[in-house]
Amino acid sequence: MGRAFVDGCDDTDGSSSTLGCSTPDDEVETPHEDIGLRVTQGARRWELGREDAGTADNNQLGHVSWTVTIPDDLNPGRATLEADNSDPLRIVVR
């Protein structure tokens, strides 16, 4: 599961000194669509699926989860999991 898959900023009123996006006016946040998830191990990469981020209507704005099938030829050991527009996450496949 991932969060913050949105375009736009509605975190603060522009006067905050904390982390996050800060704009002087409320900006509409739009959830990302068709977000790809992949796993990389060594020189190999597998596409695991694509999903749309949730909306404010379902109280899941920017949240996304994927249901995937782990590739048969993914070996136990270290790998990297990455979604579009996100930082990579190092994982251990067991």
Side-chain angles (χ1 to χ4, degrees):
M1 177 173 192
R3 297 183 186 183
F5 285 91
V6 295
D7 287 325
C9 176
D10 192 19
D11 278 358
T12 64
D13 63 5
S15 62
S16 175
S17 62
T18 61
L19 292 175
C21 57
S22 180
T23 60
D25 299 313
D26 288 345
E27 184 178 349
V28 175
E29 293 177 320
T30 306
H32 292 179
E33 296 178 345
D34 197 35
I35 306 161
L37 180 69
R38 64 205 144 274
V39 63
T40 303
Q41 189 175 57
R44 298 198 59 196
R45 176 183 279 184
W46 295 264
E47 297 294 328
L48 299 177
R50 304 190 80 77
E51 292 292 336
D52 294 339
T55 66
D57 294 337
N58 61 9
N59 201 31
Q60 295 292 309
L61 181 62
H63 294 209
V64 64
S65 61
W66 297 262
T67 300
V68 301
T69 300
I70 302 301
D72 290 336
D73 51 347
L74 182 64
N75 296 315
R78 295 179 184 201
T80 302
L81 191 62
E82 188 174 6
D84 295 342
N85 300 310
S86 74
D87 292 330
L89 175 65
R90 295 184 189 275
I91 62 170
V92 175
V93 177
R94 297 186 188 261

